[in-house]
Amino acid sequence: MPESQSKVTFKRVMLKISGEALMGDQGFGLHPPTVQRIANEVKSVHDLGVEICMVIGGGNIFRGLQGSAQGMERTTADYMGMLATVMNALAMQSALEELGIHTRVISAITMNEVAEPYIRRRAVRHLEKKRVCIFAAGTGNPYFTTDTAATLRANEMACEAIFKGTKVDGVYDKDPAKHADAVRYDDVTYDDVLQKRLGVMDASAIALARDNSLPIIVFSLDEPGGFKGILAGEGTYTRVQG
């Protein structure tokens, strides 16, 4: 057992990141050095003995809601967005396996040649064997976001928290990029997130987390070592809970 594991506050977690997090300074697509940097962050936590699930959005490739806003039929657009998440999951799997971490991409849409189908008991077994599980294709249903998929899978996998990696170090009362006087919360309730529309996750995801008492940790994915630090009880973040 790693010496530092005794300090770790969670044994199994869900890491939710946006597809945009993988495009680095580019305006579109995948930026391999950024994917590798995030994989290194995941490895640093995996090395502590923590079991890790991941859900990655697809907005760097295609966003279903934007597609439907441009006249595409919503269901078709959402399925295209799900396929984008599979591409991102495969990229992250490749980066993690280059670091020697056994990784499984588990898709809610059957595509046996590139990913496993979602079977809850099998996924739990992967986690118990210290494999990273990347859940792709959302819930497999249109009209549901990857935020909701992450919360659903986190509950099914009995994760102790969702870690939402963003570009800022927590939840603010307004956009800190636009308002110099924005105030960061250390703790905020699920109901406040919904009532004040703080934009942590969509309403369905927040409600599902609230109903199952699943805490959400919002932190900066751009801060080197931030993910590992928070697992050890350090760093700057916002905790969303009851």
Side-chain angles (χ1 to χ4, degrees):
M1 180 182 296
E3 180 183 348
S4 55
Q5 188 170 344
S6 61
K7 299 178 183 178
V8 172
T9 51
F10 298 103
K11 294 180 180 177
R12 181 181 294 172
V13 300
M14 166 65 73
L15 174 62
K16 167 62 172 69
I17 61 177
S18 67
E20 288 88 346
L22 303 185
M23 65 188 187
D25 295 331
Q26 301 174 157
F28 179 82
L30 288 156
H31 183 237
T34 299
V35 176
Q36 195 64 55
R37 179 181 63 79
I38 295 172
N40 283 320
E41 293 284 318
V42 174
K43 181 182 187 300
S44 71
V45 171
H46 183 269
D47 288 347
L48 297 176
V50 178
E51 297 169 5
I52 303 170
C53 308
M54 294 182 70
V55 168
I56 307 171
N60 57 319
I61 298 171
F62 188 87
R63 188 178 291 280
L65 201 56
Q66 290 178 353
S68 70
Q70 295 173 11
M72 187 176 290
E73 194 267 326
R74 173 67 188 270
T75 302
T76 299
D78 278 357
Y79 278 122
M80 291 174 68
M82 291 180 216
L83 296 177
T85 72
V86 176
M87 294 172 70
N88 285 338
L90 291 172
M92 184 58 65
Q93 178 187 41
S94 177
L96 286 168
E97 291 191 335
E98 281 184 19
L99 297 173
I101 298 174
H102 295 293
T103 307
R104 296 292 185 271
V105 172
I106 301 172
S107 173
I109 298 174
T110 305
M111 46 181 76
N112 292 330
E113 288 76 14
V114 297
E116 290 186 9
Y118 176 68
I119 300 171
R120 188 185 66 84
R121 287 179 179 271
R122 182 188 291 176
V124 169
R125 187 68 180 132
H126 286 321
L127 291 171
E128 290 171 349
K129 291 182 177 180
K130 305 302 180 187
R131 297 166 182 160
V132 172
C133 289
I134 307 176
F135 296 105
T139 66
N141 302 288
Y143 295 94
F144 288 91
T145 67
T146 51
D147 281 344
T148 302
T151 311
L152 174 65
R153 297 294 185 235
N155 281 305
E156 290 178 304
M157 295 297 105
C159 292
E160 296 166 317
I162 298 175
F163 280 73
K164 175 73 183 284
T166 69
K167 291 187 177 297
V168 292
D169 59 355
V171 180
Y172 286 77
D173 61 348
K174 47 193 166 186
D175 188 347
K178 298 178 181 176
H179 304 276
D181 60 342
V183 177
R184 187 181 62 81
Y185 297 96
D186 286 329
D187 293 278
V188 64
T189 67
Y190 304 111
D191 289 338
D192 279 345
V193 168
L194 292 172
Q195 291 165 9
K196 297 178 181 179
R197 300 187 177 184
L198 296 176
V200 176
M201 288 180 159
D202 68 74
S204 297
I206 295 295
L208 184 58
R210 179 191 61 193
D211 293 347
N212 293 278
S213 301
L214 181 66
I216 302 167
I217 310 293
V218 183
F219 72 105
S220 173
L221 200 63
D222 292 337
E223 183 69 30
F227 187 25
K228 178 181 178 181
I230 293 168
L231 264 293
E234 303 165 356
T236 304
Y237 57 90
T238 297
R239 180 188 289 262
V240 182
Q241 56 186 7

